[in-house]
Amino acid sequence: MLKKSLYAVILLFSFVPLFSQVSVKKVERGEEAWRYLIKAEDAYDCGDFSKALEYAEIASSRQKQEADWEMYTLENLYKKAVIRNADDDISEMMILLQELELKEPLEIIKKRVDFYGKDFFGSSFSGLIEKEKFFSRCPEADYIISKIYRLEGESELSIQYLMRAYEYSANLKLPAKKYDILYDLADTAYDTGDWNEYEKYLLTILKDNPYYTDADFMNALVRIVDSDEKENVEKFFLLYRNQSYQSFKALSLLCRYYNSRGEDLKSIKCAALGSIVAVTKIDEALKNRITAYSYESFAKTIYSAGRQNDIMEWGNNSGVWELFYSFAVSCSSYGKLTFGTELLKILSKNLPDSYWQKRCESALLR
């Protein structure tokens, strides 16, 4: 029944343009795309997928209407000789529009420049106009629709909308939503067994982690492991911090993936950086709630984490303890037995999760 309702909504919106008069007008106050996106997300969270789809489609329609109106407004400027003969530089155009008291087009340009920066448009007014077609897409709506189709088992349609959401992800009102889209693309690739795509999407997430893309930094991490000295385990966690929290899940999943393929060095790199991200998050959380807390050692930090229910729950749900375990096992598999063994000893005594404590104890016996 739900599937029929979804198709009915799509069919309805497919025919609307055929029976409506073509006109360009500004979206009325109260009818903005973002308002319908909120309704779509609320309906989705409540399990009312037909309503969620309907609101998402309206949001897409409003987004296009607004972009069409903006395009019309900006292109109409060229009817004025003073604009046609003006410098194409965005900054110069904004100054000119201010002098001419052309408030509406000035507000459109300022809105885009404030959000994207001038470089996104090649610093040119004509470049901004060309991008207006890009702004007509509503990736948030495409993402909601993709999730609905995925729940309905319509994999191909889900992937189409998900890919489109990613293609226009630079148009997201909340840029960080891009990572949700990429993680869903990775999940889809995992479900279909497309391991090249799976790795590609996770690595795309890591491109935004400047530490992962810094070859010198990553090599420095590996050198500490390569030294294979007992005292370097605590030194490792004392020296480095990384707050790229959105990349933790990608690092954890890639570590598991590379482990399954026997690619120990790649696994170590992901586990090492992921462990630093996790310790950074735990360390910051402990500092914010325990007055007398300061970082002393990796052992004390993970022990203290186990005494905070929400941190403990986050560690369980996010796979933090598993990643620490994988880091130690990968080091041992790579031939760095002293480093790996010392890390396993610390984990076996201090991990707040009994399951992973026992896994560490078993690994030590091996």
Side-chain angles (χ1 to χ4, degrees):
M1 183 67 183
L2 174 58
K3 191 174 291 186
K4 289 181 180 178
S5 298
L6 298 183
Y7 287 136
V9 172
I10 288 291
L11 195 61
L12 171 64
F13 281 93
S14 296
F15 280 101
V16 166
L18 296 178
F19 299 102
S20 59
Q21 187 177 2
V22 176
S23 62
V24 179
K25 62 179 181 178
K26 188 174 183 179
V27 173
E28 294 179 11
R29 187 175 180 83
E31 289 292 311
E32 297 91 345
W34 64 267
R35 295 182 188 275
Y36 283 98
L37 285 173
I38 292 173
K39 291 180 180 180
E41 287 169 357
D42 289 345
Y44 180 86
D45 291 340
C46 292
D48 190 345
F49 302 130
S50 294
K51 267 298 180 191
L53 183 64
E54 179 183 343
Y55 288 137
E57 290 288 352
I58 294 173
S60 291
S61 176
R62 295 294 182 270
Q63 180 98 352
K64 185 178 186 309
Q65 181 184 341
E66 187 70 8
D68 287 347
W69 174 80
E70 291 179 350
M71 174 79 84
Y72 175 80
T73 303
L74 295 178
E75 286 184 334
N76 266 350
L77 288 173
Y78 284 119
K79 291 180 179 179
K80 301 178 184 294
V82 67
I83 299 294
R84 291 197 301 273
N85 298 325
D87 194 315
D88 192 39
D89 180 78
I90 287 182
S91 298
E92 294 299 321
M93 183 60 71
M94 289 173 73
I95 293 171
L96 178 58
L97 292 176
Q98 192 165 9
E99 290 173 353
L100 296 172
E101 296 185 353
L102 295 170
K103 293 181 180 180
E104 259 187 346
L106 179 59
E107 286 175 3
I108 294 170
I109 297 171
K110 190 174 186 304
K111 177 182 70 173
R112 297 303 187 200
V113 170
D114 286 348
F115 191 84
Y116 295 97
K118 297 173 187 175
D119 290 345
F120 188 74
F121 311 103
S123 294
S124 73
F125 175 58
S126 58
L128 186 147
I129 291 179
E130 288 174 7
K131 284 286 186 181
E132 278 301 322
K133 290 181 181 177
F134 175 85
F135 298 136
S136 67
R137 290 302 318 173
C138 186
E140 293 93 344
D142 288 333
Y143 182 46
I144 292 170
I145 294 170
S146 78
K147 291 194 292 184
I148 294 170
Y149 277 129
R150 188 176 183 184
L151 287 172
E152 283 298 295
E154 298 287 347
S155 300
E156 289 187 12
L157 279 171
S158 175
I159 292 171
Q160 285 176 25
Y161 277 95
L162 194 56
M163 290 291 291
R164 192 157 64 188
Y166 178 61
E167 182 183 355
Y168 292 91
S169 59
N171 201 17
L172 288 165
K173 293 167 184 65
L174 294 174
K177 196 79 173 177
K178 175 183 73 172
Y179 300 112
D180 293 335
I181 295 170
L182 281 167
Y183 278 123
D184 273 15
L185 282 167
D187 287 345
T188 300
Y190 182 90
D191 291 342
T192 58
D194 191 338
W195 304 116
N196 288 334
E197 290 292 290
Y198 179 69
E199 181 184 21
K200 182 187 80 175
Y201 289 127
L202 293 177
L203 288 174
T204 300
I205 294 169
L206 295 186
K207 285 180 182 177
D208 289 345
N209 186 328
Y211 286 77
Y212 184 83
T213 56
D214 185 338
D216 291 336
F217 177 83
M218 294 303 295
N219 289 335
L221 293 186
V222 175
R223 278 199 296 273
I224 291 181
V225 175
D226 270 338
S227 64
D228 202 26
E229 295 176 0
K230 177 181 175 180
E231 59 271 19
N232 276 359
V233 173
E234 285 294 354
K235 179 182 176 183
F236 176 87
F237 288 105
L238 178 65
L239 282 177
Y240 300 107
R241 291 292 178 268
N242 183 227
Q243 293 180 327
S244 299
Y245 300 132
Q246 79 280 348
S247 68
F248 175 79
K249 184 179 176 181
L251 289 164
S252 179
L253 292 174
L254 280 170
C255 171
R256 188 184 298 169
Y257 171 68
Y258 291 136
N259 259 332
S260 70
R261 295 171 60 88
E263 298 184 64
D264 293 326
L265 182 56
K266 287 184 177 180
S267 177
I268 286 173
K269 287 183 176 180
C270 290
L273 185 55
S275 295
I276 291 169
V277 172
V279 168
T280 302
K281 192 172 180 68
I282 294 170
D283 190 37
E284 288 298 317
L286 292 173
K287 284 177 182 175
N288 289 334
R289 66 186 64 186
I290 302 175
T291 306
Y293 172 83
S294 62
Y295 185 86
E296 293 179 21
S297 68
F298 174 61
K300 185 175 180 180
T301 294
I302 58 173
Y303 175 79
S304 299
R307 304 181 72 83
Q308 303 290 322
N309 289 335
D310 57 335
I311 299 178
M312 174 72 176
E313 185 178 354
W314 169 76
N316 288 336
N317 295 337
S318 302
V320 172
W321 323 129
E322 179 186 358
L323 186 66
F324 289 153
Y325 166 81
S326 296
F327 184 23
V329 170
S330 293
C331 289
S332 297
S333 297
Y334 192 56
K336 309 305 172 183
L337 293 172
T338 302
F339 189 98
T341 300
E342 179 62 16
L343 181 52
L344 283 170
K345 285 180 180 178
I346 294 172
L347 294 172
S348 66
K349 294 175 183 176
N350 297 284
L351 269 183
D353 183 273
S354 58
Y355 173 80
W356 290 107
Q357 263 193 336
K358 289 175 182 177
R359 289 289 297 270
C360 291
E361 290 168 2
S362 297
L364 283 169
L365 292 175
R366 293 198 297 272

